[in-house]
């Protein structure tokens, strides 16, 4: 019997209308766990570097984390991967809610989609019954509207739906896949649209078996209570109304301007009222006691939900206030737009207009107010109308298409992807490495275990490390104790810290644990629920596979290296690994390059950032090293 | 019999809808508890408590399976509570043919909440992290009323059709199952 997983995957070819239920190899689970790990393995095996992202041969994979639908608390993430047309690289996306558990109960650990449908379709999965159905009547419909209509027509109120909106249908690069109030961003919505797949609807009523039931149950009942009461897990931003952190320190507009004194008690008060006057409740995801998602019912809008920095991105890009975000979020989510990239693309367009690079010819009747301009461009991009057709390709490509000096306004991309708008003074070595080498395209997908800043006094630091169960090695306590100035830390230590940060995300993205109870949250102290020392036991109890810290660490290294291998094979090299040039005002090229080299060495990669044969073979990735030798990527 | 009932306590689960975050831990717990062996499998479809959700309506209502009925009721009224429209079904625990809820997925047989009588506290209550579900002991008066109801109903039937006809019908129906 397979525990914690179904042992089957669903393979759908939209070109041929073919649907297959394929038994999977348990050995792969042991090597990669699930979620992104196995997705990456499949993409390495089946999507060669010659495959264009818009080719029918590109795959779109919805992979459930291994621990979904078990009692393990906070395990609910579905990881969506494909090859992104924006970066040309592996696209990484994570979505919470209830979709993944439902898929497992329907009897599948993942869905692999290839090909392209002739017309718009949706996929209906009801246990063993799987159908590709016509979706032409859903063309142009919003994401929640689509979900409602489908559930009604199928008479399946308990089904879970993941859908794209107008943005995805029109292959906008910043299109997301939306499910409930959760969303999968960063390059996957555009491929779902390209495959003409409007939605996936899942209903499942099968069992998921647990290897060591009584022990796992006892443990998780206790943890659920503890996590509910703990403020060390979940999104504190859902309840902390002091948002000076983003507003005073992140950049406004096209990642342009800091407004250090923006926040005030008066503002906090006003926004507090705005939020609580319009908020219905806060909800969470499947099997999680937290409530990170603010559900807002704003006049004239459909209900919508947001979490984290998602409430600020639109109004900060438009130099507006919270009411502007509330106005636009309900519409933008319905269109299926990623709320991180989209506002930046719009602000970039506005800047080009102000600079005279784009003119009234490109933007007829362009309004004056930045809020109205944001609306104008949002509508254009969603429909790929006029200038919207160019901006829909993201800042990097739009800048090159527009030319005429527009490239200089593309100042916040790395690997052709819009980064979170942060501009700082002095170089921070760990952040340099994370932004440079991260392949999940957003800093939030790599940072998170080691604190961002040192604590001012030795006593505070001692207090911090005294309850620090999460460290993979005692040496990290030493690092933290001796850390006084943010940028004064040895390369050796920086490498180890970045590696640990990255490790936890790769583990979460294979188990399906939410980063807010694990990889992203430990940096803020307060005792994180999941870490490298206690996750192995939960894996063992749920799956029956013996797991310990070292074995789990090896899975991280294997999955991480495999993602790098996919990207290296698609051309990623050292030259691409640069944070935006103005991310820090003061840079030191020599120091940065030395650090990058040291990190490559630490990771077992050569000076181009390519994993060496020894590294690959040690992780059991011999098929990659052979491939690399054959392709001349590695020299014998 | 009725004096015995008066002293008997039964469990009741109270539901505070405003606190629900839609985590469905209650469903997980109920299905795990009723699995054989205990906790060996998870399947919300087997749970005797389900959270009916409608995100657009901000509706999150955990309901427990109660009685089985062959025919759907003619109710299905809608109620508006603080601006939100609820279908009567959202609060109803009856296993009825009009919806796909509380039916054992393999056999299709109705599920029924047994209040986890052997446990110190119902499992769904134990698992609910947000205090939506709380268990209290109440006097078993309702049961008594129910019996009275039945007696009353029987009485009206006997009044109308005579005891022989009612007895014949009863025998015929129970034979057929
Ligand atoms: S911590 Fe928040 S975002 Fe994460 S699973 Fe729980 S409710 Fe969802
Ligand atoms: S009381 Fe027990 S049987 Fe009833 S719904 Fe709760 S867990 Fe299920
Ligand atoms: S466990 Fe509690 S909070 Fe979670 S869905 Fe059930 S009733 Fe709601």
């Amino acid at each position: 019997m397979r525990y914690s997983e179904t042992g089957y995957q669903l393979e759908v070819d939209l070109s041929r209308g073919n649907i297959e239920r394929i038994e999977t190899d348990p050995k792969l689970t042991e090597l990669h766990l699930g979620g992104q790990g196995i997705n990456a393995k499949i993409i390495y095996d089946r999507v060669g570097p010659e495959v264009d992202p818009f080719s029918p041969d590109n795959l779109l994979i919805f992979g459930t984390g291994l621990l979904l639908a078990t009692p393990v608390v906070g395990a609910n993430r579905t990881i969506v991967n494909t090859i992104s047309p924006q970066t040309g690289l592996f696209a990484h996306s994570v979505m919470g809610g209830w979709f993944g558990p439902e898929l497992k109960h329907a009897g599948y650990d993942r869905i692999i989609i290839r090909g392209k449908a002739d017309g718009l379709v949706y996929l209906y999965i009801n246990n063993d019954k799987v159908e590709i159905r016509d979706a032409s009547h859903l063309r142009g419909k919003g994401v929640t509207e689509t979900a409602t209509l489908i559930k009604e027509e199928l008479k399946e109120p308990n089904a879970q739906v993941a859908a794209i909106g107008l943005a995805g249908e029109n292959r906008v690069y910043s299109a997301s896949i939306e499910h409930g109030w959760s969303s999968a961003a960063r390059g996957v919505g555009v491929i779902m649209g390209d495959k003409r797949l409007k939605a996936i609807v899942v209903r499942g009523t099968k069992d998921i078996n647990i290897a060591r039931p009584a022990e796992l149950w006892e443990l998780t009942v206790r943890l659920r209570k503890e996590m509910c009461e703990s403020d060390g897990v979940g999104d504190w931003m859902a309840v902390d109304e002091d948002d000076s952190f983003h507003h005073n320190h992140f950049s406004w507009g096209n990642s342009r301007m800091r407004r250090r004194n923006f926040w005030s008690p008066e503002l906090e008060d006003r926004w507090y009222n705005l939020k609580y006057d319009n908020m219905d409740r806060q909800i969470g995801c499947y099997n999680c006691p937290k409530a990170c998602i603010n559900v807002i019912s704003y006049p004239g809008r459909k209900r919508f939900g947001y979490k984290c920095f998602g409430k600020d991105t639109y109004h900060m890009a438009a130099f507006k206030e919270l009411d502007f975000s509330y106005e636009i979020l309900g519409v933008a989510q319905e269109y299926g737009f990623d709320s991180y990239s989209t506002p930046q693309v719009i602000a970039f367009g506005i800047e080009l207009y102000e600079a005279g690079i784009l003119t009234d010819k490109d933007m007829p009747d362009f309004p004056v107010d930045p809020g109205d301009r944001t609306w104008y461009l949002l509508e254009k991009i969603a429909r790929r109308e006029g200038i919207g057709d160019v901006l829909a390709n993201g800042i990097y490509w739009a800048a090159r298409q527009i030319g005429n000096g527009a490239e200089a306004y593309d100042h916040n991309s790395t690997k052709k992807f819009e980064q979170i708008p942060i501009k700082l003074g002095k170089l921070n070595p760990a952040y340099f490495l994370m932004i440079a080498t991260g392949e999940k395209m957003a800093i939030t997908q790599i940072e998170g275990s080691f604190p961002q800043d040192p604590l001012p006094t030795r006593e505070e630091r001692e207090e911090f490390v005294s309850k620090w169960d999460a460290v993979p090695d005692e040496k990290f306590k030493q690092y933290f104790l001796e850390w006084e100035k943010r940028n004064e830390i040895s390369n050796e230590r920086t490498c180890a810290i970045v590696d640990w940060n990255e490790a936890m995300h790769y583990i979460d993205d294979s188990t399906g644990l939410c980063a807010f109870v694990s990889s992203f949250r430990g940096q803020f102290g307060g005792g994180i629920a999941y870490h490298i020392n206690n996750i192995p036991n939960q894996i063992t109890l749920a799956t029956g596979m013996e797991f310990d810290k070292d074995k789990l660490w090896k899975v991280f290294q294997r999955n991480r290296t495999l993602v790098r291998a996919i990207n290296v094979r698609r051309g990623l090299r050292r030259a691409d690994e640069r944070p935006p040039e103005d991310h820090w005002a003061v840079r030191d090229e020599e120091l940065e390059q030395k650090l990058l080299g040291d990190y490559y060495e630490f990771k077992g990669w050569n000076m181009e950032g390519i994993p060496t044969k020894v590294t690959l073979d040690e992780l059991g990735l011999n098929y990659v090293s052979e491939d690399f030798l054959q392709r001349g990527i590695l020299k014998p | 019999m009725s004096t015995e009932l008066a002293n008997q306590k039964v469990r009741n689960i109270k539901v505070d809808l405003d606190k629900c975050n839609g985590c469905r831990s209650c469903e997980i717990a109920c299905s795990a508890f009723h699995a054989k062996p205990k906790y060996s499998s998870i399947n919300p479809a087997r749970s005797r408590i389900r959270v009916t959700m409608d995100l657009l309506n901000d509706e999150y209502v955990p309901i427990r399976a109660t009685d089985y009925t062959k025919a759907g009721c003619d109710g299905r009224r809608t109620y508006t509570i603080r601006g939100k429209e609820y279908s009567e079904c959202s609060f109803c625990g009856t296993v009825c043919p009009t919806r796909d809820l509380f039916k054992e997925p393999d056999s299709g047989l109705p599920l029924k909440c047994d209040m986890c009588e052997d446990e110190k506290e119902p499992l769904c209550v134990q698992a609910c992290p947000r205090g939506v579900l709380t268990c209290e002991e109440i006097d078993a008066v309702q049961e008594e009323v129910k019996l009275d109801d039945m007696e009353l109903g029987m009485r009206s039937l006997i009044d109308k059709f005579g005891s022989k006809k009612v007895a014949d019908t009863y025998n015929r129906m129970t034979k057929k199952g």
Side-chain angles (χ1 to χ4, degrees), chain A residues 522-539:
Chain A
Q523 61 182 327
F524 303 104
I528 188 68
Y530 291 101
H531 45 74
I532 190 69
N533 301 308
N534 65 11
I535 296 174
N537 182 41
Q538 302 225 15
I539 296 176

Side-chain angles (χ1 to χ4, degrees), chain A residues 353-621:
Chain A
Y353 181 85
E354 278 166 358
I357 296 173
L358 290 176
T359 64
D360 289 326
K361 234 176 75 210
D362 307 295
M363 286 129 123
D365 307 315
F366 199 46
V368 177
D369 177 78
D372 296 340
R373 289 176 163 183
T374 301
W375 275 109
Y376 177 102
L377 288 177
L378 186 87
E379 298 290 345
K380 295 270 181 225
I381 294 171
R383 294 179 174 75
R384 275 191 178 271
E385 245 169 43
I387 194 64
D389 190 30
V390 177
L391 292 173
N393 295 337
I395 292 178
Y396 177 89
W397 294 109
R400 272 123 200 110
Q401 236 172 303
I402 295 165
N404 199 15
E407 292 92 335
Y409 293 79
D410 165 29
H411 70 113
N412 196 41
S413 314
T414 287
K415 294 173 187 155
K416 308 187 178 71
F417 199 87
E418 298 85 12
Q419 300 299 302
I420 289 173
I422 306 173
K423 301 291 160 197
L424 302 164
K426 248 198 200 134
L427 183 99
N428 176 333
Y431 275 75
F432 166 80
L433 280 186
M434 289 191 285
I435 302 171
T437 65
E439 276 158 90
K440 299 189 172 184
M441 303 309 163
I443 188 66
T444 53
Q445 305 296 314
I446 176 168
E447 67 181 350
S449 289
F450 198 85
Q452 297 186 4
D453 286 303
L455 286 169
T457 66
R458 176 95 194 177
E459 288 71 51
E460 285 166 274
R461 298 199 290 273
E462 269 166 5
E463 165 75 13
F464 187 95
V465 302
S466 71
K467 335 183 258 274
W468 209 7
D469 303 331
V471 287
D473 190 300
E474 287 298 304
K475 73 183 177 195
F476 289 102
K477 293 186 178 171
Q478 204 56 35
Y479 295 177
F480 191 69
L481 281 173
E482 291 166 10
W483 191 29
E484 287 176 348
K485 280 200 179 132
R486 189 201 268 176
N487 57 335
E488 286 175 18
I489 184 162
S490 74
N491 283 8
E492 185 200 337
R493 291 182 177 193
T494 303
C495 291
I497 287 167
V498 170
D499 191 52
W500 172 28
N501 282 348
E502 183 163 62
M504 295 316 299
H505 283 275
Y506 276 85
I507 290 167
D508 286 352
D509 293 338
S510 60
T511 57
L513 284 167
C514 167
F516 269 115
V517 297
S518 184
S519 54
F520 179 70
R521 192 62 169 88
Q523 61 182 327
F524 303 104
I528 188 68
Y530 291 101
H531 45 74
I532 190 69
N533 301 308
N534 65 11
I535 296 174
N537 182 41
Q538 302 225 15
I539 296 176
T540 301
L541 297 182
T543 66
M545 293 186 293
E546 285 304 326
F547 252 84
D548 58 20
K549 186 171 95 181
D550 295 337
K551 188 168 165 186
L552 186 58
W553 197 268
K554 200 113 194 183
V555 171
F556 141 61
Q557 291 177 316
R558 187 175 301 118
N559 288 349
R560 199 275 167 263
T561 308
L562 197 51
V563 169
R564 169 130 306 218
I566 292 170
N567 288 335
V568 160
R569 208 172 54 167
R570 297 193 72 89
L572 177 77
R573 294 293 182 274
R574 182 180 187 127
D576 302 305
E577 306 221 279
R578 295 185 75 84
E581 299 305 326
D582 60 356
H583 189 87
W584 296 279
V586 187
R587 299 289 286 263
D588 183 336
E589 183 68 16
E590 201 181 316
L591 185 145
E592 288 172 17
Q593 290 308 320
K594 172 80 176 75
L595 180 56
L596 188 61
D598 287 355
Y599 186 61
Y600 283 172
E601 207 176 312
F602 178 97
K603 287 282 211 189
W605 303 345
N606 70 20
M607 283 304 115
E608 270 304 315
I610 302 168
T612 64
K613 180 168 167 21
V614 176
T615 304
L616 290 165
D617 294 352
E618 257 176 25
L619 294 168
L621 300 173

Side-chain angles (χ1 to χ4, degrees), chain B residues 45-98:
Chain B
R46 291 186 200 280
S47 171
R48 293 117 206 257
I49 184 166
R50 295 305 300 268
V51 187
T52 56
M53 282 192 209
D54 179 347
L55 269 62
L56 283 180
N57 193 37
D58 186 48
E59 182 181 329
Y60 303 82
V61 188
I63 45 178
R64 276 180 302 116
T66 52
D67 300 309
Y68 161 77
T69 169
K70 253 193 212 167
C73 72
D74 66 354
R76 283 178 268 162
R77 283 161 273 260
T78 49
Y79 295 98
T80 302
I81 306 171
R82 278 202 276 159
K84 290 187 284 184
E85 227 178 57
Y86 291 87
S87 151
E88 192 174 7
C89 300
S90 300
F91 301 102
C92 176
T94 306
V95 190
C96 93
T98 54

Side-chain angles (χ1 to χ4, degrees), chain A residues 69 98 105 148 180 203 205-210 213 217 224-225 228 280-281 283-284 286-290 303, chain B residues 17 20-23 25 28-29 38-46 55-58 60 100 105 126-127 129-130:
Chain A
W98 309 271
H105 287 301
T148 308
R203 178 84 179 99
T205 61
K206 298 188 188 187
D207 297 345
I208 291 295
N209 297 308
I210 309 301
W217 188 257
R224 192 177 292 110
K225 281 252 146 63
C228 187
D280 292 312
R281 74 174 68 219
I283 65 148
Y286 185 84
N287 196 9
C288 181
K290 308 310 279 188
R303 273 197 177 79
Chain B
L17 291 187
C20 182
N21 75 342
C23 70
S25 304
I28 297 168
K38 254 185 205 172
Y39 312 120
S40 63
S41 68
I42 304 295
N43 187 354
R46 291 186 200 280
L55 269 62
L56 283 180
N57 193 37
D58 186 48
Y60 303 82
D100 177 22
Q126 285 183 41
R130 303 190 70 86

Side-chain angles (χ1 to χ4, degrees), chain A residues 21 43 166:
Chain A
R21 177 173 174 261
I43 287 188
L166 200 55

